[in-house]
């Protein structure tokens, strides 16, 4: 194995993306998110591809996404669904939901995706009360302080074999020894330990290269 000290994380990420580049619908979602002033916190194209493949490999027919933003991850996940499959995505911001809906329409996935607007915890409670689920795959990518609550609801709405994915679990390494001045890193660090120790789950934490290192947790319900 040879190392090149001149190669940085962004160069590696760009190289991988050049091998499997995002298509028109995904580029459109990124462009409209930018034009509408959405925060630059969507998953990267490479991670989006990973989400798609994980959903395909799991054979998911029903997906629950917590945090829609501009719909970039939503499109990747929904594309993995078979005919008749369904993805419900929960988004707090009406503006974000409107941008995402337009992007989903552009991608031709309106028949597979439903965006629900409101507090994630309130919407999850409604989903349970309505008897919806269980879901085959969950993607948690919203306010990090509520990750433990989102995980609890995901477990309640799961079945043995369900896959639970959580984004932003490494945060540039800040979760290793989180600063007292970084409550988000503290919350995610605590969440990671709880996730790893959860007796109902088998989990792995996968580092991902972007401008810095972040990560995705992958869990299967026993």
């Amino acid at each position: 194995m040879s190392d090149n000290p001149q190669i940085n994380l962004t160069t590696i990420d760009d190289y991988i993306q050049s091998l499997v580049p995002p298509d028109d619908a995904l580029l459109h979602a990124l462009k409209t998110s930018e034009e509408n002033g959405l925060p630059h916190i969507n998953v990267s194209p490479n991670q989006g591809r990973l989400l798609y493949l994980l959903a395909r490999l799991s054979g998911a027919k029903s997906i629950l996404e917590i945090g829609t933003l501009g719909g970039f991850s939503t499109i990747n996940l929904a594309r993995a669904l078979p005919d008749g499959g369904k993805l419900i995505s929960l988004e707090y911001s009406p503006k974000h939901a409107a941008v995402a809906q337009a992007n989903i329409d552009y991608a031709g996935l309106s028949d597979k995706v439903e965006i629900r607007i409101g507090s994630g915890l309130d919407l999850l409670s409604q989903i349970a009360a309505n008897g919806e689920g269980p879901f085959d795959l969950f993607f948690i990518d919203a306010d990090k302080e509520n990750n433990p609550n989102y995980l609890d609801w995901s477990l309640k709405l799961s079945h043995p074999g369900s896959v639970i994915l959580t984004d932003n679990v490494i945060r540039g390494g800040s979760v290793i020894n989180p600063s007292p001045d970084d409550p988000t890193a503290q919350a995610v660090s605590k969440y990671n330990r709880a996730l790893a120790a959860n007796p109902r789950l088998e989990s792995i934490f996968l580092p991902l290269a972007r401008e810095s290192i972040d990560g995705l947790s992958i869990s299967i319900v026993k």
Side-chain angles (χ1 to χ4, degrees):
M1 184 178 74
S2 61
D3 295 323
N4 185 342
Q6 296 180 337
I7 300 295
N8 59 33
L9 295 176
T10 301
T11 302
I12 294 170
D13 196 47
D14 289 345
Y15 167 71
I16 296 170
Q17 185 173 316
S18 73
L19 298 175
V20 189
D23 62 15
D24 173 64
L26 292 171
L27 291 173
H28 176 83
L30 294 175
K31 179 174 180 287
T32 59
S33 294
E34 174 79 20
E35 290 173 347
N36 283 278
L38 272 61
H40 298 172
I41 55 174
N42 54 270
V43 304
S44 69
N46 290 334
Q47 185 180 349
R49 184 71 174 177
L50 175 61
L51 295 177
Y52 163 78
L53 289 171
L54 288 171
R56 280 291 303 274
L57 287 167
S58 72
K61 297 179 181 179
S62 58
I63 298 175
L64 181 58
E65 178 183 47
I66 305 171
T68 315
L69 195 63
F72 187 81
S73 57
T74 317
I75 292 169
N76 280 285
L77 289 167
R79 282 178 166 178
L81 289 168
D83 291 341
K86 186 72 175 181
L87 185 154
I88 297 173
S89 188
L90 312 182
E91 174 55 47
Y92 180 77
S93 166
K95 176 182 177 181
H96 295 176
V99 173
Q101 186 64 62
N103 288 333
I104 289 160
D105 293 346
Y106 185 90
L109 294 167
S110 304
D111 59 329
K112 292 185 176 181
V113 176
E114 177 187 356
I115 300 175
R116 299 185 185 180
I117 303 171
S119 162
L121 296 179
D122 291 342
L123 294 172
L124 287 163
S125 179
Q126 292 171 16
I127 287 171
N130 293 337
E132 299 177 86
F135 295 89
D136 301 322
L137 185 142
F138 302 82
F139 181 44
I140 301 173
D141 188 16
D143 51 314
K144 308 311 173 187
E145 288 76 8
N146 265 318
N147 275 358
N149 295 319
Y150 297 142
L151 178 62
D152 286 346
W153 276 113
S154 297
L155 286 168
K156 291 175 184 176
L157 294 166
S158 71
H159 59 74
S162 290
V163 175
I164 301 176
L165 309 174
T166 310
D167 197 21
N168 306 125
V169 294
I170 302 299
R171 306 186 68 82
S174 64
V175 297
I176 298 172
N177 291 300
S179 167
D181 300 324
D182 190 343
T184 300
Q186 290 184 55
V188 174
S189 181
K190 183 178 179 181
Y191 172 79
N192 290 347
R193 292 193 299 271
L195 181 69
N198 192 299
R200 292 189 58 194
L201 297 171
E202 293 181 303
S203 301
I204 186 65
F205 297 80
L206 183 68
L208 300 172
R210 298 175 187 168
E211 294 84 1
S212 60
I213 294 290
D214 208 327
L216 178 76
S217 68
I218 305 171
S219 304
I220 297 177
V221 179
K222 293 181 181 179

